[in-house]
Amino acid sequence: PCALLQTRMQSLQPDPKAQYRSVYEALKKIVLTEGFWRPLRGINVTMLGAGPAHAMYFACYEKMKKSLSDTIQHGGNSHLANGIAGSVATLLHDAVMNPAEVVKQRMQMFNSPYKSVLACIRTVQRTEGFGAFYRSYTTQLTMNVPFQAIHFITYEFMQEQINPHREYNPRSHIVSGAVAGAVAAAATTPLDVCKTLLNTQENMALSSVNISGHLSGMLNAFKTVYQLGGVSGYFKGVQARVIYQMPSTAIAWSVYEFFKYFLTKHRLEKRT
């Protein structure tokens, strides 16, 4: 639901019926006018891509983090290594998730014409071509590389503070993950607003600044956002974005750390 609220609240020229002053008002209005299940629209395509995307993401991060830390700090915990490893892992993750994000956000827009995920994919493919699924890929990377660098550095820093022995501690993983997600989300909101505009290609927003056809490119998106909303336009939906990212990163890290602990323990027991 928070993902849908974030997409709606980042709309630069929303329909009068889809203008919201707060996260609570948005959720209440969507449920009352569009139905109880509307906030979950597009979740199936996200779930489909999330499994393989996160598997590659954490596997790449763990391998690169160890290799780079050994090189930079001879086995110590290097924040530079954490940031680089997180950035590289993002390349693999976003290659899978970008098309899913395009479909999800188009289905979440107010009065979306798409009845299903398959219908959305077919229509976008037929009318805009395969490239439409990766139109915001460079923007996504421009956003997610700094996001993940900040995210991983903050997580590892928080672990140093509240779990210095790096033991399996569910509470510390949840707190560290939530703080890391909140900091990274707030810092990269302007880039996320630009990505949303590129993914959704809002007709009302583009026509109001005399843009015909499709908007493409990070620079063009930045200019358009400023034309439509000024500096404050870059931070539309920041509250929803932080609320969305905090539980998301907290859950992701706690699940990852659990399986890492479980598999490591199982491997050690097998050896002994």
Side-chain angles (χ1 to χ4, degrees), residues 24-265:
Y24 174 73
E25 182 197 351
L27 183 60
K28 182 180 176 182
K29 198 170 181 180
I30 290 168
V31 170
L32 290 175
T33 60
E34 301 176 50
F36 180 78
W37 297 109
R38 186 67 176 192
L40 296 176
R41 198 152 197 251
I43 193 173
N44 49 351
V45 71
T46 303
M47 291 172 66
L48 196 64
H54 279 78
M56 291 189 293
Y57 175 68
F58 279 113
C60 177
Y61 171 70
E62 196 66 35
K63 180 68 177 176
M64 284 204 68
K65 181 181 78 169
K66 288 180 180 177
S67 300
L68 290 172
S69 290
D70 287 340
T71 303
I72 298 170
Q73 277 196 2
H74 304 292
N77 180 38
S78 166
H79 291 306
L80 177 60
N82 298 334
I84 294 171
S87 299
V88 175
T90 303
L91 297 174
L92 295 174
H93 176 272
D94 287 0
V96 176
M97 287 304 295
N98 203 85
E101 187 78 1
V102 171
V103 174
K104 183 195 76 173
Q105 289 193 318
R106 292 203 180 208
M107 292 186 69
Q108 288 177 342
M109 293 300 288
F110 181 73
N111 274 343
S112 173
Y114 310 110
K115 303 298 182 185
S116 67
V117 169
L118 195 58
C120 181
I121 294 171
R122 285 174 175 169
T123 303
V124 173
Q125 167 69 28
R126 186 178 66 251
T127 58
E128 300 177 45
F130 180 76
F133 295 107
Y134 283 94
R135 190 178 285 129
S136 66
Y137 184 55
T138 53
T139 306
Q140 181 98 332
L141 289 177
T142 306
M143 179 188 74
N144 279 353
V145 166
F147 176 92
Q148 297 301 350
I150 295 169
H151 173 204
F152 282 108
I153 290 171
T154 305
Y155 179 81
E156 298 289 355
F157 173 78
M158 287 294 297
Q159 283 291 285
E160 284 181 349
Q161 305 308 307
I162 64 178
N163 186 20
H165 299 297
R166 305 310 294 265
E167 299 170 343
Y168 175 64
N169 185 328
R171 185 178 297 176
S172 79
H173 302 317
I174 290 170
V175 172
S176 298
V179 171
V183 171
T188 57
T189 296
L191 295 165
D192 195 48
V193 172
C194 295
K195 184 206 74 174
T196 297
L197 180 62
L198 288 170
N199 274 349
T200 58
Q201 298 289 317
E202 287 181 68
N203 290 328
M204 289 179 66
L206 299 183
S207 61
S208 68
V209 288
N210 299 318
I211 294 177
S212 57
H214 302 300
L215 182 71
S216 62
M218 171 62 95
L219 189 59
N220 290 332
F222 256 97
K223 288 178 180 177
T224 305
V225 170
Y226 185 77
Q227 284 178 283
L228 291 165
V231 175
S232 62
Y234 293 116
F235 291 93
K236 293 199 77 175
V238 63
Q239 184 185 10
R241 177 166 164 76
V242 169
I243 292 172
Y244 166 56
Q245 287 294 344
M246 285 183 73
S248 174
T249 48
I251 292 167
W253 277 110
S254 59
V255 171
Y256 169 68
E257 293 284 7
F258 167 75
F259 278 103
K260 182 179 171 182
Y261 165 77
F262 176 78
L263 293 171
T264 303
K265 184 182 177 183

